[in-house]
Amino acid sequence: MIEDRELEMLIIVVYEYYGFDFGSYSRASLKRRVNRLYNLDGFDNFHDFLAKVRSDAKYYKRMVEEITVNVTEMFRDPLFYSVIRKEILPILAIKPFIRIWHAGCATGEEVYSIAILLKEANLLQKSLIYATDINELVLESAKKGVFPLRMMKQYSENYLISEGKEDFSTYYTANYGIAKFNEELSEKMVFSQHNLVSDSSFNEFDLILCRNVLIYFDNDLQNRALQLFDDSLSNLGFLVLGAKETIKYSELKSKYLQFEKEKIWRKIK
């Protein structure tokens, strides 16, 4: 187990050698994830671990990938997707074109979930979903639209609870233990690496989703990310956060109205 002072040393080394700033990440979460990697790779001396990170760019990349990966699933929190289906998409439907940003998309399960909602609302053809993450490895996985077949039972149940009307299996082809989702969905997606810590706004969106990413940031970085989302969101657009995330304590709160009981806010100013 690494100590607090060793974690601070790691943060400094990573910033000095690679320019990546973990300084604004929640210390508890960061320490837990670094310890997991430290133990997983069999280190018993912190200085050996630090030297490996400092001298081996490939290992540094592995460390970032392990620390930044987020657990996800299709139609996670099905009642949330029901609200998107019944309340949000009918509002967006009046637009000539719909731009959606899924920030921190991880391996893409939730991106495909949104695409399925759009298809069932007959909105997919006039939509584009920008899916971004800091982690190159998970983006490569997301682009493929391939998920373990063993997960489809759970995903199908989530989909049905979210009031899906189709047979979920029509959206993918099963083969050799994997489920490959239809290209009709992925052709409306643009996957790209984006760092919420340092990168700027790159478009104007009608709907921004960033669920369960901000919980890993400290207050300052959370506010910076929220400002980025505000800069990227069209007037009367929607911002979606995770269950434990909020804008209630940010300087932006007066510009937004909470929509329904879910963590959905509408930009009103």
Side-chain angles (χ1 to χ4, degrees), residues 52 86 107 119 171 206 211 232:
K52 182 75 170 173
K86 295 191 297 185
T107 43
K119 176 174 171 53
Y171 291 112
D206 305 297
R211 304 177 71 211
S232 306

Short mmCIF file of all heavy atoms in Angstrom, two decimals, residues 52 86 107 119 171 206 211 232:
data_model
loop_
_atom_site.label_atom_id
_atom_site.label_comp_id
_atom_site.label_asym_id
_atom_site.label_seq_id
_atom_site.Cartn_x
_atom_site.Cartn_y
_atom_site.Cartn_z
N LYS A 52 9.53 2.95 -12.74
CA LYS A 52 8.91 2.32 -13.90
C LYS A 52 8.01 3.33 -14.63
O LYS A 52 8.05 3.45 -15.86
CB LYS A 52 8.08 1.12 -13.45
CG LYS A 52 7.41 0.34 -14.55
CD LYS A 52 8.38 -0.53 -15.32
CE LYS A 52 7.66 -1.48 -16.26
NZ LYS A 52 8.59 -2.22 -17.13
N LYS A 86 -38.98 9.49 -22.77
CA LYS A 86 -40.33 10.06 -22.76
C LYS A 86 -40.37 11.58 -22.63
O LYS A 86 -41.31 12.21 -23.12
CB LYS A 86 -41.13 9.44 -21.61
CG LYS A 86 -41.39 7.94 -21.77
CD LYS A 86 -42.40 7.42 -20.76
CE LYS A 86 -41.91 7.57 -19.34
NZ LYS A 86 -42.85 6.96 -18.36
N THR A 107 -16.15 2.39 -22.27
CA THR A 107 -16.17 1.40 -23.35
C THR A 107 -17.40 1.48 -24.24
O THR A 107 -17.59 0.65 -25.12
CB THR A 107 -16.03 -0.02 -22.78
OG1 THR A 107 -16.85 -0.14 -21.61
CG2 THR A 107 -14.59 -0.30 -22.37
N LYS A 119 -32.92 5.84 -32.22
CA LYS A 119 -33.49 5.05 -33.31
C LYS A 119 -34.97 4.79 -33.07
O LYS A 119 -35.80 4.93 -33.99
CB LYS A 119 -32.73 3.73 -33.47
CG LYS A 119 -33.33 2.82 -34.54
CD LYS A 119 -32.50 1.60 -34.80
CE LYS A 119 -33.25 0.61 -35.70
NZ LYS A 119 -33.74 1.23 -36.95
N TYR A 171 -30.70 -5.67 -32.12
CA TYR A 171 -29.70 -4.62 -32.24
C TYR A 171 -28.27 -5.15 -32.35
O TYR A 171 -27.34 -4.37 -32.54
CB TYR A 171 -29.80 -3.66 -31.05
CG TYR A 171 -31.06 -2.83 -31.09
CD1 TYR A 171 -32.06 -3.00 -30.15
CD2 TYR A 171 -31.26 -1.89 -32.10
CE1 TYR A 171 -33.22 -2.24 -30.19
CE2 TYR A 171 -32.41 -1.13 -32.16
CZ TYR A 171 -33.39 -1.32 -31.20
OH TYR A 171 -34.54 -0.57 -31.26
N ASP A 206 -26.84 19.88 -27.90
CA ASP A 206 -28.21 19.97 -27.37
C ASP A 206 -28.38 19.12 -26.12
O ASP A 206 -29.28 19.37 -25.31
CB ASP A 206 -29.20 19.49 -28.45
CG ASP A 206 -29.03 20.26 -29.74
OD1 ASP A 206 -29.24 21.48 -29.73
OD2 ASP A 206 -28.66 19.64 -30.76
N ARG A 211 -21.82 11.01 -16.87
CA ARG A 211 -22.34 10.34 -15.68
C ARG A 211 -21.23 9.60 -14.93
O ARG A 211 -20.52 8.79 -15.49
CB ARG A 211 -23.45 9.36 -16.08
CG ARG A 211 -24.58 10.03 -16.86
CD ARG A 211 -25.62 9.02 -17.29
NE ARG A 211 -26.39 8.53 -16.16
CZ ARG A 211 -26.91 7.31 -16.07
NH1 ARG A 211 -26.70 6.43 -17.04
NH2 ARG A 211 -27.61 6.95 -15.02
N SER A 232 -20.27 24.53 -23.78
CA SER A 232 -20.55 23.64 -24.92
C SER A 232 -22.02 23.36 -25.13
O SER A 232 -22.38 22.67 -26.09
CB SER A 232 -19.83 22.30 -24.68
OG SER A 232 -18.45 22.48 -24.43
#
